Amino acid sequence: MIKRKYSAIVFDLGQVLLRFDYKFFVEKVNQNKPGIGEQFLDLYKKNYDVHRDFEKGLISEKDFISKMLGYLEHVIDEETFCKYWSDIFSPNDDVIALLPILKKNYKLYLVSNTNSIHKKFGYKHYEFLKLFDKLILSHEVKFIKPEKEIYREVEKVSGFPSEEHIFIDDILEYVDAAKRIGWDGIQFVGYDDLLNNLMIREIL
């Protein structure tokens, strides 16, 4: 591997730093009406463009919630939906423990396809987010991975050349998109593999 100079380490959030699983949402709403959680997920997947538009900040939180409550036949109210829909996260402590170590020598950035509800109700309180120099969130910058513009948003903030960024994401398509604009990238498949990749690159 050719030795590169890295200045910025860019992390994805979901399934890298925070695990998430919608089964917890399904279980909770099913307590209000059996099977409604599975019905919701089916409609959600069939209308995934609504999810994407919400992540890009193209539709309002109010309109999104209204549509989701329709999928749920209004068996829960708005506040309960936000709570249940966001109560799906759990910290990946091993990866999180790397952040203060990496921060000693590198700028840290986070890039996430996410939305205002999950930020507000789901992960905003996690202390490790304060270790990042900047959070680049899709609904705030109006771009989503793998669109190249969201990676350029990081470069605008960091001020470093493209080749000095390395991106860690569980989705290979998003890693490949970063590589196409000159970044290095690692697909996250687990803590040990990540550690090995960072050591090979002499980052750790």
Side-chain angles (χ1 to χ4, degrees):
M1 182 176 289
I2 298 171
K3 184 78 170 78
R4 291 176 64 148
K5 176 194 174 187
Y6 300 104
S7 300
I9 301 177
V10 187
F11 279 85
D12 172 37
L13 181 62
Q15 308 298 29
V16 177
L17 294 162
L18 287 181
R19 301 182 187 92
F20 66 86
D21 194 331
Y22 282 102
K23 76 176 184 183
F24 299 114
F25 173 82
V26 170
E27 288 169 358
K28 284 175 179 170
V29 295
N30 276 347
Q31 292 171 12
N32 295 269
K33 181 180 179 181
I36 196 71
E38 288 80 8
Q39 175 182 300
F40 171 88
L41 279 188
D42 183 56
L43 289 168
Y44 193 76
K45 289 171 184 174
K46 285 177 179 173
N47 297 277
Y48 202 67
D49 56 311
V50 176
H51 166 90
R52 278 300 193 216
D53 284 348
F54 188 42
E55 286 190 329
K56 288 186 79 167
L58 300 179
I59 60 176
S60 71
E61 191 174 294
K62 181 180 173 59
D63 288 345
F64 177 79
I65 293 171
S66 175
K67 198 164 192 67
M68 296 304 105
L69 292 180
Y71 292 170
L72 290 164
E73 299 177 4
H74 297 273
V75 297
I76 55 175
D77 60 22
E78 181 176 324
E79 184 180 349
T80 305
F81 169 76
C82 290
K83 184 176 182 301
Y84 285 0
W85 197 59
S86 303
D87 194 19
I88 58 172
F89 299 101
S90 61
N92 192 349
D93 292 326
D94 286 343
V95 181
I96 290 169
L98 292 174
L99 297 178
I101 300 168
L102 295 171
K103 191 169 177 64
K104 291 175 184 175
N105 297 306
Y106 306 95
K107 291 288 188 179
L108 298 182
Y109 300 96
L110 184 137
V111 172
S112 180
N113 287 355
T114 187
N115 60 77
S116 56
I117 299 172
H118 278 166
K119 179 185 178 184
K120 196 186 313 178
F121 292 89
Y123 60 79
K124 189 177 181 181
H125 66 282
Y126 283 105
E127 285 293 314
F128 74 82
L129 292 174
K130 294 176 182 176
L131 292 168
F132 287 96
D133 293 274
K134 181 73 175 176
L135 308 181
I136 291 86
L137 307 178
S138 61
H139 67 283
E140 294 177 353
V141 299
K142 305 295 191 284
F143 297 111
I144 56 171
K145 297 174 291 184
E147 295 171 342
K148 69 177 183 294
E149 290 87 354
I150 197 166
Y151 305 99
R152 297 299 188 201
E153 288 293 323
V154 179
E155 294 180 356
K156 286 178 188 176
V157 176
S158 76
F160 298 123
S162 300
E163 63 270 15
E164 292 183 20
H165 297 74
I166 182 167
F167 184 45
I168 300 161
D169 196 300
D170 63 304
I171 298 176
L172 183 58
E173 179 188 3
Y174 300 166
V175 175
D176 287 343
K179 287 181 175 180
R180 282 196 294 273
I181 66 162
W183 292 20
D184 193 7
I186 299 169
Q187 183 186 14
F188 180 79
V189 296
Y191 173 74
D192 290 338
D193 182 77
L194 174 61
L195 212 57
N196 185 52
N197 270 289
L198 292 174
M199 290 172 74
I200 287 171
R201 290 168 172 81
E202 298 181 18
I203 291 172
L204 275 178

